[in-house]
Amino acid sequence: MAARTSPSERQRRLGAELRKLRKRAGLSGDAAGALLDADRTRISHIEAGRMDVPRNGLYRLLRSYGCPEGPLFDGLMDMAHDRGRGWWDEYRDMAVPVMRDLAELESGAAHIRIHEPLFIPGMLQTREYAHAVISALEPESGRADRLVEFRVDRQRVLTGDRPTPYHAVISESALRVLVGSEKIMRKQLLRLIELARLPHVTVQVFPFRAGAYSAYCGPFVLFQGSAPGLDTVYFDRPVDSAFTGDGDRVRKYARLFEQLASSALAPVDPEAPPESHESQDSLGLIQHIMYDL
């Protein structure tokens, strides 16, 4: 079997978890290879995500590495035998690998938490807002249109039959930056309130008066995996977006998110009676900005 040259984030993560377990068990690459009747080169490829491992072989590795049967064991087995195919395959002609990796992570996450200091998160964007953002960076109109379709398709995670719990902390600056036009922004802010009505969606605004903490933290997304230890952080950057499953960094960003959420305004609750908005909350601020447009 030839080694793949561009493993997906799921394949890389599985390999990294297997390497971590092997080293924790004190086994060499040669010893691990012997469990599969293979050499250490095969183990190296598996741990880099460049090769798959058969189901019975993975079972032997996990048992030999001392991984007890349970959520982590099952999660790793599922990661190995998930073929990674989904609606995102329809966009192979234009979506770079990191975008498809992002869609795959979103589709499999148990919970998504996002902090966004600059723009409305992609999962909450209207088609018009998304087009204004994407076309500013993508001059080719045909490609921009396809990228917009890809972004809108990602939103099925929130609106499908089995929606994923989603918690967004959005800086006030993201609500005030004029993207496209005043009409586009009004429609976008209305959409934000509409999505916040969904029982599995939580939207909070981090106001200017809470200080600069939001700006310091930058944008990031926390994906809760199928088992403890399989969480991932995604950093959305213009040139080199990246994922990390490093436990210490994941815990650090989880703490950052909790601090952001605790300092942000109360979540949008469109069902609350008007008198409950005497003190400023997220809904009140969004409506105030929308009426000022």
mmCIF file of all heavy atoms in Angstrom, residues 39-68:
data_model
loop_
_atom_site.group_PDB
_atom_site.id
_atom_site.type_symbol
_atom_site.label_atom_id
_atom_site.label_comp_id
_atom_site.label_asym_id
_atom_site.label_seq_id
_atom_site.Cartn_x
_atom_site.Cartn_y
_atom_site.Cartn_z
ATOM 1 N N ASP A 39 7.215 -3.613 9.548
ATOM 2 C CA ASP A 39 8.427 -2.997 10.083
ATOM 3 C C ASP A 39 8.106 -1.620 10.663
ATOM 4 O O ASP A 39 6.975 -1.133 10.578
ATOM 5 C CB ASP A 39 9.511 -2.897 9.001
ATOM 6 C CG ASP A 39 9.063 -2.108 7.776
ATOM 7 O OD1 ASP A 39 8.102 -1.312 7.896
ATOM 8 O OD2 ASP A 39 9.677 -2.273 6.708
ATOM 9 N N ARG A 40 9.119 -0.976 11.230
ATOM 10 C CA ARG A 40 8.910 0.327 11.877
ATOM 11 C C ARG A 40 8.531 1.409 10.874
ATOM 12 O O ARG A 40 7.901 2.407 11.246
ATOM 13 C CB ARG A 40 10.161 0.727 12.652
ATOM 14 C CG ARG A 40 11.397 1.010 11.806
ATOM 15 C CD ARG A 40 12.598 1.315 12.673
ATOM 16 N NE ARG A 40 12.312 2.370 13.625
ATOM 17 C CZ ARG A 40 13.004 2.584 14.737
ATOM 18 N NH1 ARG A 40 14.011 1.774 15.050
ATOM 19 N NH2 ARG A 40 12.709 3.576 15.535
ATOM 20 N N THR A 41 8.894 1.218 9.585
ATOM 21 C CA THR A 41 8.515 2.206 8.570
ATOM 22 C C THR A 41 6.999 2.274 8.441
ATOM 23 O O THR A 41 6.424 3.362 8.315
ATOM 24 C CB THR A 41 9.148 1.857 7.210
ATOM 25 O OG1 THR A 41 10.561 1.837 7.351
ATOM 26 C CG2 THR A 41 8.749 2.881 6.152
ATOM 27 N N ARG A 42 6.352 1.111 8.477
ATOM 28 C CA ARG A 42 4.885 1.084 8.413
ATOM 29 C C ARG A 42 4.284 1.810 9.612
ATOM 30 O O ARG A 42 3.322 2.588 9.467
ATOM 31 C CB ARG A 42 4.416 -0.372 8.372
ATOM 32 C CG ARG A 42 2.901 -0.560 8.426
ATOM 33 C CD ARG A 42 2.236 -0.259 7.112
ATOM 34 N NE ARG A 42 0.812 -0.491 7.166
ATOM 35 C CZ ARG A 42 0.232 -1.681 6.994
ATOM 36 N NH1 ARG A 42 0.986 -2.756 6.738
ATOM 37 N NH2 ARG A 42 -1.070 -1.802 7.043
ATOM 38 N N ILE A 43 4.834 1.593 10.793
ATOM 39 C CA ILE A 43 4.345 2.282 11.993
ATOM 40 C C ILE A 43 4.549 3.789 11.853
ATOM 41 O O ILE A 43 3.679 4.583 12.216
ATOM 42 C CB ILE A 43 5.062 1.750 13.258
ATOM 43 C CG1 ILE A 43 4.686 0.288 13.509
ATOM 44 C CG2 ILE A 43 4.715 2.606 14.477
ATOM 45 C CD1 ILE A 43 3.204 0.067 13.781
ATOM 46 N N SER A 44 5.699 4.182 11.314
ATOM 47 C CA SER A 44 5.973 5.601 11.112
ATOM 48 C C SER A 44 4.933 6.230 10.191
ATOM 49 O O SER A 44 4.434 7.330 10.446
ATOM 50 C CB SER A 44 7.381 5.780 10.530
ATOM 51 O OG SER A 44 7.643 7.142 10.276
ATOM 52 N N HIS A 45 4.579 5.514 9.118
ATOM 53 C CA HIS A 45 3.569 6.029 8.187
ATOM 54 C C HIS A 45 2.197 6.107 8.854
ATOM 55 O O HIS A 45 1.457 7.081 8.661
ATOM 56 C CB HIS A 45 3.481 5.124 6.950
ATOM 57 C CG HIS A 45 4.589 5.338 5.963
ATOM 58 N ND1 HIS A 45 5.050 6.586 5.610
ATOM 59 C CD2 HIS A 45 5.322 4.443 5.229
ATOM 60 C CE1 HIS A 45 6.007 6.473 4.709
ATOM 61 N NE2 HIS A 45 6.213 5.179 4.475
ATOM 62 N N ILE A 46 1.860 5.098 9.654
ATOM 63 C CA ILE A 46 0.570 5.104 10.352
ATOM 64 C C ILE A 46 0.503 6.283 11.313
ATOM 65 O O ILE A 46 -0.496 7.007 11.384
ATOM 66 C CB ILE A 46 0.351 3.775 11.100
ATOM 67 C CG1 ILE A 46 0.106 2.633 10.101
ATOM 68 C CG2 ILE A 46 -0.821 3.888 12.084
ATOM 69 C CD1 ILE A 46 0.076 1.251 10.735
ATOM 70 N N GLU A 47 1.585 6.507 12.056
ATOM 71 C CA GLU A 47 1.591 7.582 13.060
ATOM 72 C C GLU A 47 1.641 8.965 12.434
ATOM 73 O O GLU A 47 1.316 9.955 13.094
ATOM 74 C CB GLU A 47 2.763 7.371 14.012
ATOM 75 C CG GLU A 47 2.593 6.126 14.890
ATOM 76 C CD GLU A 47 3.731 5.892 15.856
ATOM 77 O OE1 GLU A 47 4.764 6.587 15.747
ATOM 78 O OE2 GLU A 47 3.585 5.017 16.743
ATOM 79 N N ALA A 48 2.028 9.044 11.163
ATOM 80 C CA ALA A 48 2.010 10.332 10.451
ATOM 81 C C ALA A 48 0.708 10.511 9.672
ATOM 82 O O ALA A 48 0.519 11.541 9.023
ATOM 83 C CB ALA A 48 3.201 10.414 9.494
ATOM 84 N N GLY A 49 -0.189 9.526 9.752
ATOM 85 C CA GLY A 49 -1.450 9.606 9.034
ATOM 86 C C GLY A 49 -1.344 9.258 7.560
ATOM 87 O O GLY A 49 -2.301 9.428 6.809
ATOM 88 N N ARG A 50 -0.175 8.761 7.155
ATOM 89 C CA ARG A 50 0.037 8.488 5.729
ATOM 90 C C ARG A 50 -0.459 7.105 5.306
ATOM 91 O O ARG A 50 -0.576 6.835 4.119
ATOM 92 C CB ARG A 50 1.524 8.628 5.381
ATOM 93 C CG ARG A 50 2.054 10.051 5.521
ATOM 94 C CD ARG A 50 3.454 10.178 4.933
ATOM 95 N NE ARG A 50 4.425 9.397 5.690
ATOM 96 C CZ ARG A 50 5.183 9.885 6.661
ATOM 97 N NH1 ARG A 50 5.066 11.167 7.006
ATOM 98 N NH2 ARG A 50 6.049 9.116 7.296
ATOM 99 N N MET A 51 -0.739 6.245 6.280
ATOM 100 C CA MET A 51 -1.273 4.912 5.988
ATOM 101 C C MET A 51 -2.367 4.568 6.982
ATOM 102 O O MET A 51 -2.326 4.994 8.142
ATOM 103 C CB MET A 51 -0.175 3.839 6.068
ATOM 104 C CG MET A 51 0.680 3.708 4.842
ATOM 105 S SD MET A 51 1.773 2.261 4.979
ATOM 106 C CE MET A 51 2.579 2.335 3.376
ATOM 107 N N ASP A 52 -3.338 3.778 6.506
ATOM 108 C CA ASP A 52 -4.389 3.278 7.390
ATOM 109 C C ASP A 52 -3.907 2.009 8.084
ATOM 110 O O ASP A 52 -2.920 1.396 7.677
ATOM 111 C CB ASP A 52 -5.651 2.976 6.585
ATOM 112 C CG ASP A 52 -6.267 4.233 5.986
ATOM 113 O OD1 ASP A 52 -6.182 5.293 6.633
ATOM 114 O OD2 ASP A 52 -6.829 4.152 4.880
ATOM 115 N N VAL A 53 -4.626 1.634 9.119
ATOM 116 C CA VAL A 53 -4.330 0.387 9.823
ATOM 117 C C VAL A 53 -5.617 -0.437 9.853
ATOM 118 O O VAL A 53 -6.695 0.101 10.123
ATOM 119 C CB VAL A 53 -3.809 0.658 11.257
ATOM 120 C CG1 VAL A 53 -4.772 1.502 12.056
ATOM 121 C CG2 VAL A 53 -3.493 -0.638 11.972
ATOM 122 N N PRO A 54 -5.547 -1.724 9.498
ATOM 123 C CA PRO A 54 -6.763 -2.539 9.518
ATOM 124 C C PRO A 54 -7.395 -2.591 10.907
ATOM 125 O O PRO A 54 -6.711 -2.413 11.920
ATOM 126 C CB PRO A 54 -6.285 -3.932 9.088
ATOM 127 C CG PRO A 54 -4.840 -3.834 8.825
ATOM 128 C CD PRO A 54 -4.359 -2.477 9.126
ATOM 129 N N ARG A 55 -8.696 -2.834 10.942
ATOM 130 C CA ARG A 55 -9.432 -2.795 12.203
ATOM 131 C C ARG A 55 -8.853 -3.762 13.235
ATOM 132 O O ARG A 55 -8.646 -3.399 14.390
ATOM 133 C CB ARG A 55 -10.905 -3.120 11.950
ATOM 134 C CG ARG A 55 -11.787 -2.935 13.175
ATOM 135 C CD ARG A 55 -13.253 -3.141 12.864
ATOM 136 N NE ARG A 55 -14.063 -2.837 14.021
ATOM 137 C CZ ARG A 55 -14.485 -1.636 14.367
ATOM 138 N NH1 ARG A 55 -14.146 -0.596 13.630
ATOM 139 N NH2 ARG A 55 -15.223 -1.432 15.429
ATOM 140 N N ASN A 56 -8.557 -4.996 12.811
ATOM 141 C CA ASN A 56 -8.017 -5.957 13.784
ATOM 142 C C ASN A 56 -6.607 -5.564 14.217
ATOM 143 O O ASN A 56 -6.197 -5.782 15.355
ATOM 144 C CB ASN A 56 -8.029 -7.379 13.217
ATOM 145 C CG ASN A 56 -7.234 -7.514 11.926
ATOM 146 O OD1 ASN A 56 -6.847 -6.518 11.320
ATOM 147 N ND2 ASN A 56 -7.008 -8.754 11.498
ATOM 148 N N GLY A 57 -5.838 -4.931 13.306
ATOM 149 C CA GLY A 57 -4.504 -4.461 13.667
ATOM 150 C C GLY A 57 -4.561 -3.318 14.660
ATOM 151 O O GLY A 57 -3.774 -3.264 15.613
ATOM 152 N N LEU A 58 -5.499 -2.403 14.449
ATOM 153 C CA LEU A 58 -5.654 -1.286 15.380
ATOM 154 C C LEU A 58 -6.068 -1.797 16.753
ATOM 155 O O LEU A 58 -5.582 -1.317 17.783
ATOM 156 C CB LEU A 58 -6.687 -0.292 14.845
ATOM 157 C CG LEU A 58 -6.980 0.915 15.738
ATOM 158 C CD1 LEU A 58 -5.716 1.737 15.987
ATOM 159 C CD2 LEU A 58 -8.062 1.791 15.132
ATOM 160 N N TYR A 59 -6.952 -2.786 16.762
ATOM 161 C CA TYR A 59 -7.382 -3.374 18.041
ATOM 162 C C TYR A 59 -6.176 -3.930 18.797
ATOM 163 O O TYR A 59 -6.017 -3.699 20.009
ATOM 164 C CB TYR A 59 -8.414 -4.470 17.779
ATOM 165 C CG TYR A 59 -9.024 -5.057 19.021
ATOM 166 C CD1 TYR A 59 -10.145 -4.489 19.604
ATOM 167 C CD2 TYR A 59 -8.465 -6.190 19.619
ATOM 168 C CE1 TYR A 59 -10.706 -5.031 20.747
ATOM 169 C CE2 TYR A 59 -9.011 -6.735 20.768
ATOM 170 C CZ TYR A 59 -10.133 -6.152 21.324
ATOM 171 O OH TYR A 59 -10.684 -6.685 22.462
ATOM 172 N N ARG A 60 -5.291 -4.649 18.083
ATOM 173 C CA ARG A 60 -4.096 -5.209 18.732
ATOM 174 C C ARG A 60 -3.190 -4.111 19.263
ATOM 175 O O ARG A 60 -2.637 -4.205 20.364
ATOM 176 C CB ARG A 60 -3.333 -6.089 17.737
ATOM 177 C CG ARG A 60 -3.981 -7.429 17.466
ATOM 178 C CD ARG A 60 -2.978 -8.428 16.896
ATOM 179 N NE ARG A 60 -2.369 -7.967 15.658
ATOM 180 C CZ ARG A 60 -2.919 -8.156 14.459
ATOM 181 N NH1 ARG A 60 -4.097 -8.760 14.345
ATOM 182 N NH2 ARG A 60 -2.299 -7.730 13.375
ATOM 183 N N LEU A 61 -3.009 -3.058 18.462
ATOM 184 C CA LEU A 61 -2.146 -1.952 18.900
ATOM 185 C C LEU A 61 -2.695 -1.321 20.176
ATOM 186 O O LEU A 61 -1.957 -1.099 21.149
ATOM 187 C CB LEU A 61 -2.025 -0.896 17.801
ATOM 188 C CG LEU A 61 -1.223 -1.257 16.554
ATOM 189 C CD1 LEU A 61 -1.220 -0.083 15.572
ATOM 190 C CD2 LEU A 61 0.216 -1.637 16.908
ATOM 191 N N LEU A 62 -3.982 -1.003 20.170
ATOM 192 C CA LEU A 62 -4.565 -0.313 21.321
ATOM 193 C C LEU A 62 -4.494 -1.174 22.577
ATOM 194 O O LEU A 62 -4.185 -0.677 23.667
ATOM 195 C CB LEU A 62 -6.020 0.077 21.026
ATOM 196 C CG LEU A 62 -6.220 1.142 19.941
ATOM 197 C CD1 LEU A 62 -7.707 1.383 19.683
ATOM 198 C CD2 LEU A 62 -5.541 2.455 20.329
ATOM 199 N N ARG A 63 -4.749 -2.467 22.447
ATOM 200 C CA ARG A 63 -4.659 -3.347 23.608
ATOM 201 C C ARG A 63 -3.215 -3.451 24.095
ATOM 202 O O ARG A 63 -2.945 -3.402 25.300
ATOM 203 C CB ARG A 63 -5.192 -4.744 23.252
ATOM 204 C CG ARG A 63 -6.694 -4.801 23.004
ATOM 205 C CD ARG A 63 -7.501 -4.408 24.232
ATOM 206 N NE ARG A 63 -7.245 -5.291 25.367
ATOM 207 C CZ ARG A 63 -7.950 -6.377 25.630
ATOM 208 N NH1 ARG A 63 -8.956 -6.734 24.843
ATOM 209 N NH2 ARG A 63 -7.665 -7.130 26.678
ATOM 210 N N SER A 64 -2.273 -3.550 23.157
ATOM 211 C CA SER A 64 -0.860 -3.660 23.536
ATOM 212 C C SER A 64 -0.333 -2.356 24.118
ATOM 213 O O SER A 64 0.602 -2.369 24.924
ATOM 214 C CB SER A 64 -0.022 -4.060 22.320
ATOM 215 O OG SER A 64 -0.430 -5.318 21.824
ATOM 216 N N TYR A 65 -0.925 -1.237 23.721
ATOM 217 C CA TYR A 65 -0.504 0.061 24.248
ATOM 218 C C TYR A 65 -1.134 0.364 25.604
ATOM 219 O O TYR A 65 -0.869 1.405 26.201
ATOM 220 C CB TYR A 65 -0.891 1.179 23.279
ATOM 221 C CG TYR A 65 -0.146 1.181 21.960
ATOM 222 C CD1 TYR A 65 -0.570 2.006 20.921
ATOM 223 C CD2 TYR A 65 0.975 0.384 21.745
ATOM 224 C CE1 TYR A 65 0.107 2.032 19.700
ATOM 225 C CE2 TYR A 65 1.651 0.405 20.537
ATOM 226 C CZ TYR A 65 1.204 1.224 19.509
ATOM 227 O OH TYR A 65 1.872 1.243 18.304
ATOM 228 N N GLY A 66 -1.985 -0.524 26.080
ATOM 229 C CA GLY A 66 -2.597 -0.326 27.393
ATOM 230 C C GLY A 66 -3.775 0.619 27.383
ATOM 231 O O GLY A 66 -4.154 1.146 28.441
ATOM 232 N N CYS A 67 -4.392 0.835 26.226
ATOM 233 C CA CYS A 67 -5.574 1.701 26.154
ATOM 234 C C CYS A 67 -6.792 0.880 26.562
ATOM 235 O O CYS A 67 -7.169 -0.067 25.865
ATOM 236 C CB CYS A 67 -5.752 2.245 24.734
ATOM 237 S SG CYS A 67 -7.168 3.362 24.543
ATOM 238 N N PRO A 68 -7.431 1.198 27.684
ATOM 239 C CA PRO A 68 -8.573 0.400 28.140
ATOM 240 C C PRO A 68 -9.780 0.589 27.233
ATOM 241 O O PRO A 68 -9.977 1.660 26.650
ATOM 242 C CB PRO A 68 -8.847 0.948 29.547
ATOM 243 C CG PRO A 68 -8.348 2.355 29.500
ATOM 244 C CD PRO A 68 -7.164 2.343 28.584
#
